[in-house]
Amino acid sequence: MMPLTSRRREATTSRPAGAPGGARRLRTPSLLAGFLAVLVGLTGVAGCTADRRDDRRDGDRAPAPNTSTAPGSGSDVPAGSSEHTLTVDGRDRTYRLYRPASLDLAEPVPLVVMLHGAAGTGEQAEEAYGWTEEADRGGFVVAFPDGVKRAWAASEHCCGQPVRQGVDDVAFVEALVGALRDRMPVDPARTFVTGISNGGLLAYRLACDTDLFAAIGVVATTLAGECASPAPVSVLHIHGLRDETMPYRGGPGKRDNDGTGRNPVKIDGPPLTELMAKWRAVDDCAAPTERADGPVTRSTSSCAQGRAVDLITIADAGHQWPGGKPNPRAEQLLGLEPPSTALDATAEIWKFFDAHPRPAGS
């Protein structure tokens, strides 16, 4: 793997948008309407990723991007939303950044990376899920990166054009976090990633292949591909029991095409009970406790060094971001139910993140 500094560069210009750890690499729209139907509702999009593996042993972890240099002051980061370009592996990649106007950059600040679902964009995710409002309340910065052709490569067979083009989205997110650390005082102990569907697949891939993040929070997704020896990380997973694209019981979803064709989609994850058990083993957790409140059931596990592995299920929810902004046109076109109102997923995820920074010394 080439050094990160040789693989990415920040664009020299970034314009305001009109509207107001370390890397551990394991490496294990013609047809757009069809792809939309495969993976999303535009208020909450689905997804996929590219299996990566290398010969690096569990202890041979590369250093975090840019931790050897002092972070930037943030003086050139505008308040509110702004648009930026980053070149990674010779490809221009774009992202949006939201900085609350009241956020003091004199001290290290938390960072949340929000990964849209398939057919979504960073702008769509910023508008649909309420992260800017949560950032204003919680005092953190949010990055909304864009996938190539509105999708992410999260496994060998998923998803879409990024897989066909050999896009390295793990490298992109690593470079994005590094670039933001260069520009402002991002706190490595409070750097988090969240995503829905295809974006959630990439979030799990990042947890498997890097140790950049203190915690991940995912919605309506699963694990695609191998995850042999991940580093410990706190995990919150939110899932609707009526989700047919990423079934709670595991196995292929109704949009699966076995990773073939112009837009490959192979989503064949394990049952969520098994997936949560995997992360409890990784994090050295106690047995989970369960509590039900109407349609919402919470399974929580306390783990070594203050980490946690939590699963929240919603009995009447489908493949959407609970508490997200409804999109009746997309819901009708794709046969999706409106987002559940039984839970505010954004508030739940930020509460979880805020409570689970990276443990000292890890």
Side-chain angles (χ1 to χ4, degrees):
M1 184 179 72
M2 291 189 295
L4 184 63
T5 53
S6 70
R7 301 174 64 205
R8 57 97 173 162
R9 62 176 176 82
E10 183 81 29
T12 55
T13 60
S14 54
R15 63 187 185 279
R24 183 183 66 129
R25 306 298 294 279
L26 298 181
R27 296 293 192 228
T28 56
S30 57
L31 299 182
L32 178 58
F35 191 38
L36 284 170
V38 168
L39 291 173
V40 303
L42 289 181
T43 61
V45 219
C48 302
T49 73
D51 287 271
R52 303 168 176 81
R53 303 181 204 171
D54 64 20
D55 296 328
R56 192 169 285 135
R57 293 182 177 86
D58 191 42
D60 298 335
R61 297 175 187 168
N66 305 299
T67 54
S68 62
T69 59
S73 67
S75 59
D76 65 336
V77 178
S81 295
S82 54
E83 298 176 353
H84 307 267
T85 301
L86 186 67
T87 301
V88 182
D89 288 342
R91 186 189 300 269
D92 286 345
R93 304 297 300 266
T94 55
Y95 65 96
R96 296 173 68 85
L97 186 67
Y98 182 76
R99 171 194 167 187
S102 60
L103 184 61
D104 182 5
L105 296 183
E107 300 292 336
V109 296
L111 168 66
V112 173
V113 178
M114 169 68 218
L115 302 170
H116 64 74
T121 65
E123 182 177 15
Q124 169 267 326
E126 183 176 12
E127 293 175 351
Y129 305 134
W131 276 105
T132 57
E133 294 87 350
E134 196 66 36
D136 287 336
R137 290 188 290 267
F140 56 93
V141 175
V142 192
F144 301 93
D146 294 309
V148 171
K149 302 293 184 181
R150 296 175 172 250
W152 304 105
S155 75
E156 183 180 359
H157 304 291
C158 192
C159 292
Q161 290 300 304
V163 170
R164 288 177 56 85
Q165 296 179 23
V167 174
D168 189 341
D169 278 319
V170 170
F172 170 44
V173 176
E174 287 177 331
L176 171 61
V177 172
L180 294 176
R181 288 181 181 175
D182 281 347
R183 298 188 66 179
M184 70 181 91
V186 170
D187 187 349
R190 294 183 293 163
T191 300
F192 310 103
V193 64
T194 182
I196 178 170
S197 192
N198 188 191
L201 291 178
L202 181 56
Y204 269 129
R205 179 54 43 206
L206 288 158
C208 291
D209 290 4
T210 81
D211 55 6
L212 273 177
F213 299 101
I216 71 169
V218 296
V219 175
T221 193
T222 187
L223 173 65
E226 298 297 324
C227 187
S229 54
V233 62
S234 291
V235 176
L236 171 60
H237 189 124
I238 299 174
H239 212 95
L241 296 184
R242 296 176 63 178
D243 190 335
E244 297 181 1
T245 300
M246 307 273 190
Y248 173 84
R249 65 186 180 280
K254 68 178 183 179
R255 312 301 188 184
D256 187 282
N257 64 14
D258 201 33
T260 61
R262 179 176 174 81
N263 287 305
V265 178
K266 185 172 184 178
I267 306 170
D268 192 8
L272 285 190
T273 51
E274 293 183 11
L275 182 55
M276 295 299 98
K278 173 185 177 65
W279 286 108
R280 288 198 300 270
V282 169
D283 289 347
D284 189 17
C285 304
T289 60
E290 191 170 288
R291 174 171 57 88
D293 182 10
V296 178
T297 299
R298 300 169 186 268
S299 173
T300 61
S301 301
S302 297
C303 312
Q305 294 187 287
R307 293 187 176 93
V309 174
D310 292 359
L311 171 65
I312 299 177
T313 58
I314 306 173
D316 57 354
H319 193 71
Q320 293 276 30
W321 184 282
K325 183 183 298 184
N327 187 328
R329 185 169 180 272
E331 291 157 15
Q332 182 177 19
L333 176 66
L334 303 177
L336 297 171
E337 298 173 352
S340 172
T341 59
L343 187 81
D344 182 340
T346 302
E348 289 285 343
I349 292 170
W350 172 246
K351 180 180 178 181
F352 183 83
F353 286 169
D354 194 37
H356 295 96
R358 185 186 303 277
S362 65

